[in-house]
Amino acid sequence: MAMAIRVDVNSLSDEVRESLERGEVVEIERDGEVVGRLEPGARPGTLGRLAEELAKLGPPDENFTDDLRRIRESGNAPIGPTPWES
């Protein structure tokens, strides 16, 4: 599990605070590479949040269920010779 710290928004620069208040994403860079993002209203990821998001999707449709069944069945099938073995 990754470590996290909590930073009071008032300790951020005016530019960053104003961007967040406008609803903009703030990207954090090091040597020209994005190493982090601040997103207004974003909550830390949790299993509970994942469950909430999955619940919004509703039940899987028939095609999805059939795809899962075929994947499970293919996982139990014997592996044939590779093209290099022929």
Side-chain angles (χ1 to χ4, degrees):
M1 183 171 168
M3 297 291 294
I5 64 168
R6 188 173 287 203
V7 177
D8 189 293
V9 72
N10 293 320
S11 68
L12 302 172
S13 73
D14 290 342
E15 179 183 20
V16 171
R17 278 197 321 272
E18 290 167 6
S19 291
L20 292 172
E21 288 170 7
R22 288 191 300 267
E24 299 170 351
V25 172
V26 177
E27 294 185 333
I28 302 166
E29 290 185 357
R30 180 186 303 126
D31 299 326
E33 182 179 340
V34 175
V35 296
R37 291 170 58 101
L38 300 175
E39 296 186 39
R43 298 181 315 197
T46 64
L47 289 177
R49 182 171 174 214
L50 175 61
E52 290 172 11
E53 294 300 319
L54 289 175
K56 292 178 190 176
L57 297 176
D61 64 14
E62 186 176 315
N63 292 334
F64 180 75
T65 305
D66 288 343
D67 288 343
L68 286 179
R69 181 184 49 75
R70 282 193 292 278
I71 290 168
R72 286 186 187 121
E73 288 172 358
S74 70
N76 293 326
I79 298 174
T82 66
W84 301 276
E85 294 175 319
S86 311

